[in-house]
Amino acid sequence: MGIIGPDLREFWQQLRAPPDALMLELGAGGELLVAKLRAGLSLGLLLLPLINLATGEFTPNEGVAGMLGVIAAIALSQAWLGLARKPRHYRWLPWATASYDVSLITLVLVLLATDSPAAAINSMVVWALYLLAIVMTALRNDGRLTLYTGAMAMLQYAALALAIFLLANAPEQLASADYGSARVSNVLQRLFLLVIATLITAAVVYRMQRLVELSGSDGLTGLPNRTLLVHRFPGLAEDARENGSSLTLCLIDLDYFHRINDEVGHQAGDRALRHAVGVLRGGMEEGDWLVRLGGEEFVLVMPLPTGRAWERMETIRRSMSTQPFAPEVGDDPMRMTFSAGIASWPQDGTDLSQLLRRADLRLRQAKLEGRNRVVARET
């Protein structure tokens, strides 16, 4: 239990935590994929009555209810697909579509129940769509959505079953020649399967989130890495465009950092990097985003215009120079400084590569002028 306990707590905490910007962006792409799958499946469901008819298993009750559900599904799936294709990512859309998926399945079961209560409880074809709705939430990369969808499916199916059992006036009403007898045990078994499907899907979501975190994080400092910056920056620029706000990218390079490695060793150099990250983080404010590009290079993205970003970077630069790094207890402290180049979106570039090139030019200028300075304009 000492090993399993912390793992389960981490699993549960991560599932309940709101996904970060990258996971939301990936989830938006997943929502579009789900919308396409939903539209395709809705059209494919038209084949079910033909299959049942060809195999001699067609029943009027389930056939009529199923066709009504399919018609509604086709119409609404096209509407959801249109919303998912829009450039703007609606954060409410996955919750709305998951609610729709589960509720539509329940509606079809209600239609079945109006003619045959046993069909509503025992129809495997319609009930199995609950499982599909739960599994598809994995594509949205949000554990909360998986838990919500699973819980909604369980509650709606349990409520429907409870209403059927309470409204039945005689045991004969719960029996059907095509679907057998509706039993409490059948309902409990299917609820248990919904729980299992939810937990398995949640585990898949958790694993995907962990893989994204590992692939997008720097192992030494814990900061996001270049891969995460490349994926997330378009979303940051899009948010700035929609909000009419500014966005500034600061390319930071620690001055003469190789001397620390040469003089006190690479292990002390690693500690020096973490020390520098601590100073940089100490000067950050809400909305800032710090990334390690590699080596001793960092990028700080700030939702500020050039002038205010320069002032902030100057404050951080002075703070860095006044907080020396001590390799070991009792060792003489080593002064650390950095040079930085600033580029602003969209004035200096409309994509990440353009901004990094312009910031790098200004960083080179800062080094040529003597280092330990921040350059926001070419001279």
Side-chain angles (χ1 to χ4, degrees), residues 254-264 266 296 371:
L254 302 180
D255 295 328
Y256 302 113
F257 185 77
H258 65 277
R259 293 180 179 177
I260 296 178
N261 287 328
D262 294 341
E263 294 177 10
V264 295
H266 289 282
E296 61 271 17
R371 302 178 189 260

Side-chain angles (χ1 to χ4, degrees), residues 49-121:
L50 298 177
I51 294 174
N52 291 336
L53 185 62
T55 57
E57 297 178 0
F58 182 85
T59 58
N61 297 337
E62 186 172 10
V64 173
M67 286 301 299
L68 291 175
V70 168
I71 293 171
I74 292 174
L76 290 172
S77 66
Q78 294 301 315
W80 296 128
L81 180 57
L83 288 172
R85 279 178 169 160
K86 290 184 177 296
R88 179 179 177 84
H89 298 157
Y90 300 105
R91 295 193 176 184
W92 53 264
L93 186 59
W95 301 89
T97 56
S99 301
Y100 156 77
D101 290 338
V102 173
S103 298
L104 182 61
I105 298 164
T106 303
L107 176 61
V108 174
L109 292 177
V110 170
L111 292 175
L112 287 174
T114 58
D115 188 78
S116 173
I121 291 180

Side-chain angles (χ1 to χ4, degrees), residues 47-370:
L47 298 175
L48 290 179
L50 298 177
I51 294 174
N52 291 336
L53 185 62
T55 57
E57 297 178 0
F58 182 85
T59 58
N61 297 337
E62 186 172 10
V64 173
M67 286 301 299
L68 291 175
V70 168
I71 293 171
I74 292 174
L76 290 172
S77 66
Q78 294 301 315
W80 296 128
L81 180 57
L83 288 172
R85 279 178 169 160
K86 290 184 177 296
R88 179 179 177 84
H89 298 157
Y90 300 105
R91 295 193 176 184
W92 53 264
L93 186 59
W95 301 89
T97 56
S99 301
Y100 156 77
D101 290 338
V102 173
S103 298
L104 182 61
I105 298 164
T106 303
L107 176 61
V108 174
L109 292 177
V110 170
L111 292 175
L112 287 174
T114 58
D115 188 78
S116 173
I121 291 180
N122 292 343
S123 173
M124 179 57 72
V125 172
V126 178
W127 176 86
L129 295 177
Y130 280 133
L131 301 177
L132 188 59
I134 294 170
V135 169
M136 286 198 303
T137 62
L139 297 173
R140 278 91 150 208
N141 298 323
D142 190 342
R144 301 171 305 164
L145 183 65
T146 298
L147 298 176
Y148 166 79
T149 305
M152 191 177 190
M154 290 178 243
L155 289 174
Q156 289 193 11
Y157 181 68
L160 174 62
L162 180 61
I164 288 174
F165 286 122
L166 291 178
L167 294 175
N169 296 321
E172 293 76 15
Q173 294 181 348
L174 299 176
S176 168
D178 297 316
Y179 296 97
S181 298
R183 298 185 177 89
V184 174
S185 60
N186 295 344
V187 175
L188 295 178
Q189 289 170 3
R190 296 193 178 197
L191 289 175
F192 180 72
L193 289 175
L194 291 176
V195 171
I196 296 300
T198 302
L199 292 178
I200 293 175
T201 306
V204 171
V205 172
Y206 170 76
R207 184 60 177 168
M208 291 168 59
Q209 291 176 339
R210 291 292 295 150
L211 289 174
V212 170
E213 288 177 359
L214 292 173
S215 64
S217 299
D218 173 58
L220 177 63
T221 62
L223 293 175
N225 60 19
R226 181 187 290 269
T227 300
L228 203 57
L229 176 64
V230 170
H231 279 88
R232 185 176 177 187
F233 188 82
L236 295 175
E238 181 64 25
D239 290 342
R241 180 183 293 107
E242 292 179 355
N243 299 328
S245 57
S246 302
L247 194 64
T248 299
L249 182 148
C250 307
L251 183 60
I252 302 166
D253 187 82
L254 302 180
D255 295 328
Y256 302 113
F257 185 77
H258 65 277
R259 293 180 179 177
I260 296 178
N261 287 328
D262 294 341
E263 294 177 10
V264 295
H266 289 282
Q267 289 187 346
D270 291 345
R271 293 195 294 274
L273 275 175
R274 289 192 286 266
H275 168 81
V277 169
V279 176
L280 293 172
R281 279 176 165 161
M284 293 170 59
E285 296 183 2
E286 184 178 358
D288 296 349
W289 197 50
L290 182 63
V291 176
R292 185 188 180 193
L293 288 186
E296 61 271 17
E297 270 196 331
F298 302 87
V299 165
L300 179 59
V301 181
M302 295 183 286
L304 298 172
T306 303
R308 291 178 58 194
W310 181 86
E311 293 174 355
R312 289 270 307 282
M313 286 306 303
E314 271 292 299
T315 300
I316 297 174
R317 182 190 63 79
R318 290 192 294 269
S319 179
M320 178 76 74
S321 63
T322 58
Q323 297 185 48
F325 164 68
E328 299 288 350
V329 177
D331 289 350
D332 292 334
M334 306 179 72
R335 183 168 177 261
M336 296 184 67
T337 63
F338 68 78
S339 303
I342 291 178
S344 296
W345 175 93
Q347 295 86 351
D348 294 316
T350 56
D351 60 38
L352 179 62
S353 60
Q354 292 174 346
L355 291 173
L356 285 174
R357 281 196 297 270
R358 184 58 64 87
D360 185 61
L361 289 174
R362 292 168 181 170
L363 172 61
R364 292 173 185 271
Q365 181 179 330
K367 292 186 176 184
L368 290 174
E369 293 177 357

